[in-house]
Amino acid sequence: AAYPSAWEVADGQQMRAAEEDDVDEEEQQALMDELNADLDSLDPELEGYLIRDEGELAQKSRVWDEMNKEYLEEQAAKHAARVRMAEARGIDLATAESVLQSEKRRPRKRKNDGGRGGGASSAAEAVEEELRRNRALSS
């Protein structure tokens, strides 16, 4: 019988973790150790792509951070805004994230037509109404 690879076990573990949200730390560490052992036995051709030197890793991280500076600043600003929103509403950050996600999913309501009645009864009437509205905006 063929045993699953560490990668297959990790995929299964992630799926279970997403379902259960309660993963034993020792089991997770054992799995990570097995994955690291698998990395050590990779094809020699792939060896050139792995970063094992801490200095090289630090240098590449600095380069990546510099190249993506704007993105990182935007993400930091978004995070700070979420923290402020959570504090203002008196909720924790995880709840604030859930609130923001639900607000994103809500369909937007159409603008009120200013009390001029319902929608047009035909396509031609709708076009005429839009033309009148656009003339009023442009003058």
Side-chain angles (χ1 to χ4, degrees), residues 3-20:
Y3 293 101
S5 71
W7 298 105
E8 292 168 328
V9 173
D11 288 342
Q13 183 74 28
Q14 282 181 327
M15 290 173 57
R16 274 188 274 130
E19 293 170 2
E20 298 171 5

Side-chain angles (χ1 to χ4, degrees), residues 2-134:
Y3 293 101
S5 71
W7 298 105
E8 292 168 328
V9 173
D11 288 342
Q13 183 74 28
Q14 282 181 327
M15 290 173 57
R16 274 188 274 130
E19 293 170 2
E20 298 171 5
D21 226 13
D22 185 28
V23 178
D24 182 24
E25 286 185 36
E26 289 179 13
E27 185 179 349
Q28 190 173 19
Q29 185 60 46
L31 183 60
M32 291 305 296
D33 292 342
E34 188 177 345
L35 287 172
N36 287 332
D38 281 355
L39 281 175
D40 291 337
S41 66
L42 284 177
D43 187 352
E45 291 179 25
L46 298 177
E47 194 67 33
Y49 295 102
L50 297 177
I51 301 172
R52 295 188 186 268
D53 178 33
E54 291 296 322
E56 182 183 3
L57 179 63
Q59 179 185 9
K60 288 189 180 217
S61 294
R62 282 192 302 274
V63 169
W64 189 93
D65 288 346
E66 186 61 35
M67 290 177 68
N68 295 287
K69 187 176 185 175
E70 284 182 29
Y71 170 78
L72 294 171
E73 289 170 352
E74 289 171 8
Q75 295 305 309
K78 286 179 184 180
H79 179 73
R82 288 190 294 267
V83 168
R84 285 192 304 273
M85 188 266 297
E87 289 173 355
R89 293 185 181 183
I91 56 179
D92 64 9
L93 188 57
T95 305
E97 296 283 347
S98 297
V99 168
L100 288 173
Q101 287 299 319
S102 67
E103 288 174 355
K104 284 182 182 179
R105 284 181 276 204
R106 287 188 193 148
R108 306 241 177 193
K109 292 184 178 180
R110 299 184 121 196
K111 290 183 179 179
N112 189 353
D113 63 359
R116 290 176 284 189
S121 60
S122 69
E125 196 176 305
V127 169
E128 288 176 14
E129 178 61 33
E130 282 299 313
L131 289 172
R132 275 195 293 273
R133 189 177 306 149
N134 287 338

